[in-house]
Amino acid sequence: MTGIQGSAGTAKTTTVLATYARAARDRGFEVRALAPTATAASVLGNAIGTEHMTVARMLGTTSTIDCGEHPPKVWVVDEASMLGARDAEALLAQARAEGARLVLVGDVDQLGSVEAGRAFGQLQDHGMATFRLEEIVRQSNPETRKAVEAMLDGNAQAAFAALDAGGGRVVEQPDTQTRQAVLARDFAALYREDRARTLVLDPTRQGRQELIDAIRAALVRDGTLGEDAMVATVLESRGLTRAEAKRAASYQPGDIVAFRKSEKGRPRAGIGYRVEAVEAERGTVRLVPDKGKAHDWQPARWGSAQAEAFVEVEQEFRAGDKVQFTRNNYRAERHNGDTAEVVAIDPVGSSMVVEREDGRRDVRSGLGASGVVQGQHRRCGFGVCRDQKGQNQRGRLYRQPHRPHQRSRPARRGAGRRRR
């Protein structure tokens, strides 16, 4: 087991890991790319030219180990600082059982673990051999590099001084409306490939939405996005912290709560429950599904770590929009991290055609005349996407129509007659 510790921009993935993976394959190793998130796994897999999957998916896959000849294995795990203690322990156990060599890559100062424990940092603290990448190579401008290094050290004053010295440009606008208009104009003026490398931020939810609306309007005017639009009700994460998720008072009537795991007698996983009422003093949240049994849920006692709360918002879709799925749907052969582009909109029939990166096309249909997705909150009816419209990223969960498997049955003789 080996660790690689390095800040963003130190060429961990594009140079160091790509070179290591190539050398490992030349020596007969089977190389696999892993990461806690699908996006990171996909980026790593593409960079080192190998199969990729999330750590959770690999841990959920039963491995068959035979006694015959098989090539030695190397598992490269990017964003290892995001691994919690339990997943890290399971990963180490599986690597030991399969005789795999582990290369853990990340930055303890950049991304922390979602679950309990700081496994990557603890392994370094207790003697894991770790190589440190300290030279930032992403920024070729020396002053820009100084600004980045100063921000990594938490020295904002030095960072702005480096920007003023030629490392960048700080532009101030007299009011919010002017700032948003200028940002939208400048973003729309970029070439398509430059837009993909440009990040636009706003410190507030309202400001972010106003900025996105301004950018989308500019992209419609220049033809990047189509004229026909479809509006659907989507779910946007409320972003509750772990501590907030344990408090009943953090939830509001009308919220949608979904669980990743379940137990017998508890709310079921994969179903969207609407919050009907909250009794903060009792610590109880009343959850009501579209169909089935309601639950008086006490998040402080069970399930807060497996729950995510969403709020319903209306979202516009146009041809040219890009979406990224963030939940697996193996029946539809869609995986967490897959991306697609909206290539056609039928506003009358409330449907859209999306094209995946491999060229396959899906019709996202079942939308009502108002654009609200039908069959809401059904099991197997959840489709999760991270919206990248106008290259601005927002996490979303949109509900797909529920299409249960149906078997064709012959008509029963005498069906409909009253039985004696």
Side-chain angles (χ1 to χ4, degrees), residues 281-328:
E281 294 182 357
R282 294 180 54 193
T284 302
V285 179
R286 182 70 171 175
L287 300 178
V288 180
D290 186 46
K291 289 184 178 180
K293 178 184 176 182
H295 292 266
D296 289 323
W297 177 48
Q298 294 180 298
R301 299 184 60 183
W302 177 86
S304 63
Q306 304 299 333
E308 188 170 6
F310 303 89
V311 61
E312 289 184 317
V313 297
E314 287 192 342
Q315 182 60 52
E316 177 186 86
F317 293 89
R318 294 176 181 267
D321 280 335
K322 294 185 181 299
V323 294
Q324 181 180 29
F325 298 97
T326 59
R327 293 292 188 277
N328 291 319

Side-chain angles (χ1 to χ4, degrees), residues 44-333:
L44 176 62
N46 292 333
I48 68 178
T50 189
E51 174 191 3
H52 66 271
M53 66 174 63
T54 63
V55 172
R57 183 182 175 191
M58 192 194 71
L59 293 177
T61 302
T62 303
S63 299
T64 302
I65 305 175
D66 56 37
C67 298
E69 294 291 331
H70 56 83
K73 302 176 182 179
V74 172
W75 296 350
V76 182
V77 186
D78 203 3
E79 305 293 8
S81 60
M82 296 181 66
L83 286 175
R86 290 184 177 179
D87 281 350
E89 181 183 21
L91 179 64
L92 294 175
Q94 188 160 333
R96 183 172 186 175
E98 298 191 30
R101 178 176 298 184
L102 272 181
V103 178
L104 303 179
V105 188
D107 180 9
V108 293
D109 297 323
Q110 185 180 12
L111 295 173
S113 61
V114 177
E115 301 295 337
R118 45 181 294 275
F120 188 52
Q122 288 176 325
L123 289 169
Q124 292 187 40
D125 295 342
H126 289 79
M128 177 179 66
T130 303
F131 295 91
R132 301 186 181 278
L133 304 177
E134 298 178 348
E135 182 180 355
I136 294 177
V137 298
R138 179 176 297 167
Q139 285 75 25
S140 57
N141 183 320
E143 296 299 331
T144 306
R145 190 182 305 118
K146 289 181 182 179
V148 173
E149 292 170 345
M151 289 303 296
L152 290 173
D153 292 336
N155 191 338
Q157 182 177 1
F160 280 108
L163 291 175
D164 292 337
R169 188 164 59 102
V170 178
V171 181
E172 298 182 49
Q173 300 296 343
D175 54 69
T176 300
Q177 289 73 23
T178 304
R179 174 175 58 84
Q180 292 173 348
V182 171
L183 281 170
R185 180 201 64 194
D186 291 348
F187 185 88
L190 297 174
Y191 289 108
R192 188 180 182 91
E193 55 271 20
D194 292 331
R195 293 174 185 169
R197 296 193 297 266
T198 301
L199 182 64
V200 183
L201 303 174
D202 193 279
T204 67
R205 181 186 295 268
Q206 179 180 351
R208 180 190 66 181
Q209 186 59 54
E210 292 173 350
L211 182 56
I212 287 179
D213 291 341
I215 290 176
R216 288 178 61 77
L219 296 178
V220 171
R221 287 194 297 270
D222 73 4
T224 300
L225 298 180
E227 294 183 359
D228 291 333
M230 181 185 73
V231 178
T233 298
V234 301
L235 300 183
E236 185 174 283
S237 175
R238 291 195 53 205
L240 298 181
T241 65
R242 183 174 300 178
E244 290 172 336
K246 290 183 176 181
R247 296 196 296 266
S250 301
Y251 301 88
Q252 301 175 5
D255 285 354
I256 305 299
V257 179
F259 296 85
R260 290 182 288 272
K261 296 181 181 179
S262 183
E263 296 177 5
K264 186 176 181 180
R266 307 285 192 179
R268 297 169 60 190
I271 293 181
Y273 290 86
R274 185 177 296 277
V275 176
E276 185 179 73
V278 176
E279 296 187 32
E281 294 182 357
R282 294 180 54 193
T284 302
V285 179
R286 182 70 171 175
L287 300 178
V288 180
D290 186 46
K291 289 184 178 180
K293 178 184 176 182
H295 292 266
D296 289 323
W297 177 48
Q298 294 180 298
R301 299 184 60 183
W302 177 86
S304 63
Q306 304 299 333
E308 188 170 6
F310 303 89
V311 61
E312 289 184 317
V313 297
E314 287 192 342
Q315 182 60 52
E316 177 186 86
F317 293 89
R318 294 176 181 267
D321 280 335
K322 294 185 181 299
V323 294
Q324 181 180 29
F325 298 97
T326 59
R327 293 292 188 277
N328 291 319
N329 186 332
Y330 298 115
R331 184 182 304 172
E333 297 184 0

Side-chain angles (χ1 to χ4, degrees), residues 274-417:
R274 185 177 296 277
V275 176
E276 185 179 73
V278 176
E279 296 187 32
E281 294 182 357
R282 294 180 54 193
T284 302
V285 179
R286 182 70 171 175
L287 300 178
V288 180
D290 186 46
K291 289 184 178 180
K293 178 184 176 182
H295 292 266
D296 289 323
W297 177 48
Q298 294 180 298
R301 299 184 60 183
W302 177 86
S304 63
Q306 304 299 333
E308 188 170 6
F310 303 89
V311 61
E312 289 184 317
V313 297
E314 287 192 342
Q315 182 60 52
E316 177 186 86
F317 293 89
R318 294 176 181 267
D321 280 335
K322 294 185 181 299
V323 294
Q324 181 180 29
F325 298 97
T326 59
R327 293 292 188 277
N328 291 319
N329 186 332
Y330 298 115
R331 184 182 304 172
E333 297 184 0
R334 283 198 308 270
H335 301 100
N336 185 355
D338 289 350
T339 59
E341 179 175 347
V342 179
V343 295
I345 289 287
D346 178 10
V348 177
S350 296
S351 63
M352 61 184 178
V353 179
V354 298
E355 183 174 278
R356 309 186 203 182
E357 290 183 333
D358 60 7
R360 288 184 295 175
R361 293 192 173 192
D362 298 325
V363 178
R364 314 306 306 154
S365 60
L367 304 178
S370 64
V372 179
V373 182
Q374 303 297 312
Q376 56 189 2
H377 317 321
R378 301 290 185 85
R379 184 171 178 82
C380 303
F382 275 93
V384 184
C385 74
R386 183 173 300 278
D387 183 6
Q388 292 180 320
K389 300 176 180 62
Q391 306 297 338
N392 295 275
Q393 300 182 6
R394 289 197 292 169
R396 282 192 178 77
L397 169 69
Y398 70 84
R399 296 175 308 240
Q400 302 171 5
H402 179 55
R403 293 190 171 89
H405 290 295
Q406 297 180 353
R407 296 181 180 178
S408 58
R409 301 178 180 175
R412 291 182 293 125
R413 180 175 297 178
R417 296 178 182 175

